[in-house]
Amino acid sequence: MDPRPHGLPVLSRQRSASLAWGLGGLLLALLLALRVDAGLAWDSQRLLRGAQPLGELALRNALAVQELVQQLPGRDEPGRIAAVNDFFNQRIGFRSDLDLYGVTDYWASPLETMARGAGDCEDFAIAKYFTLVAAGVSQKKLRLVYVRAMDLGLAVPHMVLAYYPTPDADPWVLDNLVPGLRPASARPDLTPVFSFNAEAIWEGVGSSPVKGSATERLSRWAAVLRKAREEGF
């Protein structure tokens, strides 16, 4: 199912990759109700307590995430990005929302994904986002990006995580379908439509803001933020 908020246009593929991924897009709306509380720190014990009643797989994956986050401060930021991307791409399998949750579109929290050991593209991006924030990467450098991905000549809905080392940088793309990290300029198969994090939502390269409430347009993201906080992220 297309997770694009109602009213957001699909971008022209004639735009250059660097323009499409640039951070110069107009800020559409601040998600004030969704801001991460600065006093709410990563709580690995809360994560483990939440995982325990969900079964052995959930607890094993939660322990692995705890260990990963503890190790990451010893690495530089690009090293943290690569480690988290590899961790989830190697540990989590791809399965559709219909198989996992019985619905066509569901955005899982990190612990829900850990408990099943599987997820779809949104679930990979969400788990990577919260784990990197827990490891000390500023959420200002991270965006979940809804894209149109070219697959066998067809544009299909997809979601990735983008990391911006600096505000005007060519971002690195964390993708569950492509191993390793690649700059967005090297991914002409992806056309960004909109991007967001816990602070804001952006139209890819549009010049006009989308009308209406951003929180209403991203109600699934609001639900994920609430659940992730309860899980210790």
Side-chain angles (χ1 to χ4, degrees), residues 84-166:
V84 169
N85 188 55
D86 290 344
F87 176 89
F88 284 102
N89 283 0
Q90 294 168 8
R91 197 173 190 95
I92 301 299
F94 182 88
R95 287 180 63 189
S96 71
D97 289 332
L98 196 59
D99 285 344
L100 290 171
Y101 301 101
V103 295
T104 56
D105 194 22
Y106 183 84
W107 291 16
S109 70
L111 186 53
E112 287 175 318
T113 299
M114 293 178 211
R116 289 158 179 80
D120 68 358
C121 59
E122 295 99 341
D123 305 330
F124 277 86
I126 288 166
K128 293 172 186 179
Y129 173 89
F130 284 107
T131 303
L132 284 168
V133 172
V137 177
S138 172
Q139 64 189 8
K140 296 181 184 298
K141 296 183 176 183
L142 300 171
R143 289 190 187 185
L144 296 100
V145 188
Y146 171 72
V147 301
R148 294 290 188 182
M150 294 303 297
D151 182 26
L152 299 177
L154 299 175
V156 297
H158 186 45
M159 189 173 286
V160 298
L161 183 65
Y163 163 68
Y164 293 83
T166 61

Side-chain angles (χ1 to χ4, degrees), residues 4-182:
R4 181 162 48 97
H6 180 69
L8 275 172
V10 176
L11 304 180
S12 169
R13 294 192 186 88
Q14 275 69 47
R15 307 286 185 126
S16 68
S18 59
L19 177 62
W21 286 90
L23 280 176
L26 184 64
L27 176 63
L28 302 180
L30 289 176
L31 303 182
L32 296 177
L34 302 182
R35 283 188 180 276
V36 171
D37 186 345
L40 189 60
W42 158 245
D43 186 345
S44 63
Q45 294 306 309
R46 182 185 296 182
L47 177 65
L48 296 181
R49 288 195 299 271
Q52 192 166 11
L54 299 179
E56 181 182 350
L57 180 59
L59 185 57
R60 187 165 65 246
N61 282 333
L63 284 166
V65 168
Q66 180 191 51
E67 182 179 3
L68 175 67
V69 172
Q70 289 173 342
Q71 294 173 348
L72 290 179
R75 306 189 186 191
D76 61 12
E77 199 161 86
R80 299 181 202 182
I81 302 298
V84 169
N85 188 55
D86 290 344
F87 176 89
F88 284 102
N89 283 0
Q90 294 168 8
R91 197 173 190 95
I92 301 299
F94 182 88
R95 287 180 63 189
S96 71
D97 289 332
L98 196 59
D99 285 344
L100 290 171
Y101 301 101
V103 295
T104 56
D105 194 22
Y106 183 84
W107 291 16
S109 70
L111 186 53
E112 287 175 318
T113 299
M114 293 178 211
R116 289 158 179 80
D120 68 358
C121 59
E122 295 99 341
D123 305 330
F124 277 86
I126 288 166
K128 293 172 186 179
Y129 173 89
F130 284 107
T131 303
L132 284 168
V133 172
V137 177
S138 172
Q139 64 189 8
K140 296 181 184 298
K141 296 183 176 183
L142 300 171
R143 289 190 187 185
L144 296 100
V145 188
Y146 171 72
V147 301
R148 294 290 188 182
M150 294 303 297
D151 182 26
L152 299 177
L154 299 175
V156 297
H158 186 45
M159 189 173 286
V160 298
L161 183 65
Y163 163 68
Y164 293 83
T166 61
D168 58 350
D170 183 15
W172 291 89
V173 178
L174 290 72
D175 190 345
N176 65 294
L177 299 180
V178 176
L181 300 173
R182 298 184 188 181

